[in-house]
Amino acid sequence: MEILDKFSLKGKIALVTGASYGIGFAIATAYAQAGATIVFNDIKQELVDKGLKSYEELGIKAHGYVCNVCDEQAVNEMVADIEKNIGVIDILVNNAGIIKRIPMCDMTADQFRQVVDVDLNAPFIVAKAVIPSMIKKGHGKIINICSMMSELGRETVSAYAAAKGGLKMLTRNIASEYGEYNIQCNGIGPGYIATPQTAPLREKQPDGSRHPFDQFIIAKTPAARWGDTSDLQGPAVFLASDASDFVNGHILYVDGGILAYIGKQP
Ligand code: NAP
Ligand code: GCO
């Protein structure tokens, strides 16, 4: 096989969760360009409709499902429907996620649980639903969208950091448990990416200056910029393709160098 052919996703079926916009949308778009059939879900019909329209505008025929990834029965029904009507899922990207930025002592246990439920329990539920058919088919790729918070802490994101740190270990465990079936499970740890999720951290100040958090991220990132969702496309295609068949249990940080850097000296 020629080397570039190894990066092709021709004939593959990819399920990307929460992919109506943002990081999931960019990853699914790249998969479609690499030849895959795209399936995505989101929690509300309006979001699925918005996603379908955005894919269509790019000439991509995607399949959209309304499904809450925390609801095990709904996930199992969605996966069964995909397998019956589209085919066995070759690539799963656990992208759906939420964040609550609340100081830990002000956070209720219920709010903490909600974040862990979407960001950690749901990837377990969706992975569990797709693995049996991947085993039967003889291969599979699972990519969990982790975070800087899989490695680092920061004020106000205790639940998110706990969940994304857990997701890193779930990734390694899936790799350990199912590697012998030719299933590779890896993570992508995006740095600070400009999406609606991070919009509050980039809002301009009333005097037009940059948000202090925005300045902080620029100073912490050797690339001196926020990431764009397109920065995640190449790494996501690599981890979904045959080119990464011996890469397993790895977290690929796509962070412009944040984890390598102490921050800009004063
Ligand atoms: P996002 O707002 O986190 O997008 C995630 C999508 O998942 C949204 O469409 C969201 O719907 C959906 N979703 C939420 N809960 C769901 C559920 N229970 N079931 C199904 N879908 C659900 O935006 P993003 O920034 O593109 O983030 C994508 C992933 O990357 C997340 O896991 C996030 O934690 C991670 N990440 C983001 C960054 C960043 O800098 N942006 C960095 C590192 C990691 P709603 O719009 O209704 O919430
Ligand atoms: C935050 C941010 C982060 C990023 C990302 C970093 O409040 O610190 O939202 O959580 O979105 O996950 O990798």
Side-chain angles (χ1 to χ4, degrees), residues 10-27:
K10 230 171 252 159
K12 310 274 189 203
I13 296 172
L15 169 63
V16 187
T17 67
S20 301
Y21 65 89
I23 290 173
F25 179 79
I27 290 176

Side-chain angles (χ1 to χ4, degrees), residues 99 101 147-149 154 157 160 190-192 197-198 201 213:
I99 189 165
R101 298 185 185 98
S147 164
M148 291 291 90
M149 271 65 227
R154 138 169 143 68
V157 294
Y160 187 79
Y192 281 81
Q197 194 227 54
T198 52
L201 307 176
F213 195 91

